[in-house]
């Protein structure tokens, strides 16, 4: 038999779902973060409804007059749903959609933080009641958590999508050795136990 090495490239035979970018994508836990985004969106909408029912509209802060819990909550639910779908179906279009929706949700969460901060400064520094201040504080905390989640999910999505190449080259070296050829090997290549 011939002792020349045979080099085989398996880059075309690798399953795309097992590529390294997709493995990095799963390190970001898109399923858990997507479910958390959905829950935060639902809770934001529920607290917005509670605020609309419990307190007259004329005494609402800018945060509630602009219906911030509703439009941010809807965006959080959409981005969370796309994240869950991307984690269950790891295809590049879903990962790209997840990246776009999480960037949009990051901008919405940043806007929500700014609006809530302005409402705190100009409206909630005067005592208005524990319900109003409590709901506003809970929604502010949810918005900060959502901001952190969307940034981390978008970062892992970007690490997956923003690459020059997706092909991984795996090199396998086969070397056929017969017992006759093993005798003629240099001393450095022989098994140390048999030498």
């Amino acid at each position: 038999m011939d002792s020349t090495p045979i080099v085989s490239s398996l880059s075309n035979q690798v399953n795309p779902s097992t590529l390294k970018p997709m493995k990095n994508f799963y390190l970001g836990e898109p399923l858990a973060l997507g479910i958390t985004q959905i829950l935060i969106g639902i809770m934001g909408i529920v607290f917005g409804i509670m605020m609309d029912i419990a307190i007259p509209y004329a005494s609402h802060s800018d945060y509630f007059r602009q219906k911030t819990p509703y439009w941010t909550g809807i965006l959080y639910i959409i981005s969370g749903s796309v994240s869950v779908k991307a984690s269950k179906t790891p295809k590049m279009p879903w990962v790209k959609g997840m990246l776009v929706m999480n960037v949009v949700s990051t901008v919405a969460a940043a806007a929500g933080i700014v609006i809530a901060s302005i409402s705190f400064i100009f409206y909630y520094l005067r005592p208005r009641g524990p319900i109003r201040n409590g709901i506003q504080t809970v929604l502010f905390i949810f918005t900060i958590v959502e901001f952190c989640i969307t940034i981390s999910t978008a970062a892992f999505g970007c690490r997956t999508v923003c690459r020059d190449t997706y092909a991984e080259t795996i090199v396998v070296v086969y070397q056929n050795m017969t017992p006759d050829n093993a005798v003629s090997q240099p001393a450095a290549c022989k098994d140390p136990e048999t030498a």
Side-chain angles (χ1 to χ4, degrees):
M1 295 222 129
D2 188 20
S3 65
T4 59
I6 301 169
V7 178
S8 173
S9 175
L10 300 175
S11 62
N12 295 332
Q13 299 173 3
V14 176
N15 186 358
S17 64
T18 61
L19 291 175
K20 188 175 181 179
M22 288 299 177
K23 290 178 184 175
N24 288 339
F25 173 66
Y26 281 114
L27 290 176
E29 297 290 335
L31 181 64
L33 293 178
I35 291 171
T36 306
Q37 284 179 308
I38 293 169
L39 291 176
I40 288 174
I42 290 171
M43 292 175 71
I45 292 172
V46 167
F47 280 128
I49 292 170
M50 285 174 41
M51 191 70 160
D52 284 341
I53 292 171
I55 300 168
Y57 182 77
S59 63
H60 281 196
S61 68
D62 290 336
Y63 186 79
F64 291 103
R65 284 190 187 137
Q66 295 175 2
K67 303 295 182 191
T68 307
Y70 298 117
W71 57 267
T72 56
I74 289 170
L75 285 174
Y76 301 160
I77 291 170
I78 293 171
S79 64
S81 299
V82 174
S83 295
V84 168
K85 180 65 177 177
S87 71
K88 292 190 178 215
T89 309
K91 294 184 179 174
M92 206 48 66
W94 283 109
V95 175
K96 288 179 182 178
M98 182 214 63
L99 175 62
V100 169
M101 281 309 303
N102 276 296
V103 168
V104 170
S105 292
T106 301
V107 172
I113 289 171
V114 169
I115 294 169
S117 299
I118 291 170
S119 294
F120 273 134
I121 292 170
F122 292 112
Y123 188 77
Y124 283 102
L125 290 180
R126 296 174 278 159
R128 296 284 184 175
I131 294 175
R132 218 174 303 170
N133 292 339
I135 290 177
Q136 178 77 25
T137 303
V138 168
L139 287 174
F140 184 68
I141 292 169
F142 282 163
T143 305
I144 291 172
V145 169
E146 181 66 27
F147 182 76
C148 296
I149 289 172
T150 55
I151 283 182
S152 65
T153 306
F156 277 99
C158 188
R159 284 179 58 187
T160 303
V161 172
C162 303
R163 290 179 46 113
D164 292 334
T165 180
Y166 291 100
E168 290 183 354
T169 303
I170 299 172
V171 178
V172 179
V173 178
Y174 295 102
Q175 189 169 4
N176 296 331
M177 299 290 292
T178 61
D180 297 335
N181 291 339
V183 174
S184 63
Q185 285 182 339
C189 296
K190 290 186 179 179
D191 187 20
E193 293 179 6
T194 61

